[in-house]
Amino acid sequence: MPQHSSDTRTALVVVAHHRSDSLTAHIARRTAAQLEAAGYRIDLLDLHAEGFDPRMNVEDQPDWGNREKPYSDETHAHMRRILDADVVVAVFPVYWQSVPAVLKGWIDRVWNYGFAYGRSKPRLAGKRMLWLALAGATADDPIAESMQSVLEANLSDGIAYYCGFSRSTVGLLLDAEERPQRIDAEGNLLVGEAVAGAEREAQYTDFDRRARKFVDEFLADELVTA
């Protein structure tokens, strides 16, 4: 169980991007600040910066069917960070309608059988999850609707709820690229001209606003259900 006082809430903010100057990293920092302002203690987990190895190994899965099996020291440390969190927020770019390999590997290794699932009383029960997914597709791209559905089925239904989380929300942040990208009816990728100047500033101001709105709504739901 979490080892923090009853009046302290902790948010584990997980960043899955290889560049610290990326839009993903920027949104993660802004989200962490927003959560901190709302009263959360922040545990910022930058998977690339911390050198997390996403590859499953024998040490973490010596016997898959044994839910009491030991895990590696690295995985135990990450499990403790999840247990200590009331809220987990993952910030990542959408790769192939899914999460990047480093985030998928973090889930594979850390959300392991016997820890995150496979028990009659889930250890992660009652926690809440927010997935902030940055996508290059434009808002008017027909693929946006299916992308939202795929991410919700995979991340909320297939992972968070399966592991006992009481709430899971996917915030899909479209228009993440400077050059607009969309797929036409024949499946061709259409890449527009790069935005610049005032238009670029307005695009990213709106992007920040939409990201903040997802977090605000997530926090507001906590107040309603508390």
Side-chain angles (χ1 to χ4, degrees), residues 76-105:
H76 270 297
H78 281 268
M79 289 175 174
R80 173 50 54 190
R81 293 170 80 168
I82 296 173
L83 288 174
D84 284 346
D86 301 282
V87 167
V88 180
V89 180
V91 189
F92 59 94
V94 177
Y95 288 176
W96 300 112
Q97 304 272 41
S98 187
V99 299
V102 70
L103 181 55
K104 178 59 164 59

Side-chain angles (χ1 to χ4, degrees), residues 16-217:
H17 201 287
H18 51 284
R19 294 199 321 272
S20 61
D21 63 347
S22 64
L23 181 59
T24 299
H26 164 77
I27 292 298
R29 290 189 293 268
R30 291 288 296 266
T31 298
Q34 188 176 350
L35 289 164
E36 187 172 32
Y40 282 88
R41 183 185 74 84
I42 303 301
D43 179 7
L44 184 61
L45 169 55
D46 186 327
L47 292 170
H48 281 278
E50 294 194 16
F52 181 78
D53 185 350
R55 296 172 298 177
M56 179 59 80
N57 56 68
V58 175
E59 190 176 9
D60 283 327
Q61 208 173 78
D63 177 6
W64 182 86
N66 176 16
R67 71 181 189 183
E68 305 300 336
K69 61 183 178 294
Y71 307 95
S72 66
D73 290 342
E74 180 182 30
T75 290
H76 270 297
H78 281 268
M79 289 175 174
R80 173 50 54 190
R81 293 170 80 168
I82 296 173
L83 288 174
D84 284 346
D86 301 282
V87 167
V88 180
V89 180
V91 189
F92 59 94
V94 177
Y95 288 176
W96 300 112
Q97 304 272 41
S98 187
V99 299
V102 70
L103 181 55
K104 178 59 164 59
W106 182 70
I107 294 168
D108 288 346
R109 284 189 62 197
V110 181
W111 301 40
N112 207 318
Y113 177 77
F115 168 69
Y117 67 100
R119 293 180 177 275
S120 56
K121 184 177 181 180
R123 286 175 170 165
L124 306 183
K127 298 182 185 296
R128 298 183 305 124
M129 183 88 204
L130 174 61
W131 311 85
L132 288 178
L134 286 73
T138 57
D140 63 348
D141 192 328
I143 201 174
E145 184 176 350
S146 64
M147 184 182 296
Q148 179 80 38
S149 298
V150 167
L151 290 171
E152 288 179 351
N154 184 19
L155 304 178
S156 289
D157 299 339
I159 297 175
Y161 291 138
Y162 188 75
C163 293
F165 277 71
S166 62
R167 168 83 188 278
S168 178
T169 299
V170 175
L172 179 57
L173 291 162
L174 300 161
D175 296 297
E177 298 286 348
E178 292 183 358
R179 302 181 66 184
Q181 300 180 10
R182 69 187 306 277
I183 303 295
D184 67 14
E186 286 73 41
N188 301 306
L189 175 63
L190 306 179
V191 181
E193 295 295 324
V195 294
E199 183 183 0
R200 183 181 188 277
E201 183 176 343
Q203 175 174 320
Y204 287 110
T205 296
D206 180 66
F207 198 90
D208 279 345
R209 180 193 61 77
R210 286 185 283 126
R212 184 175 185 86
K213 182 180 179 183
F214 277 129
V215 178
D216 281 340
E217 291 175 349

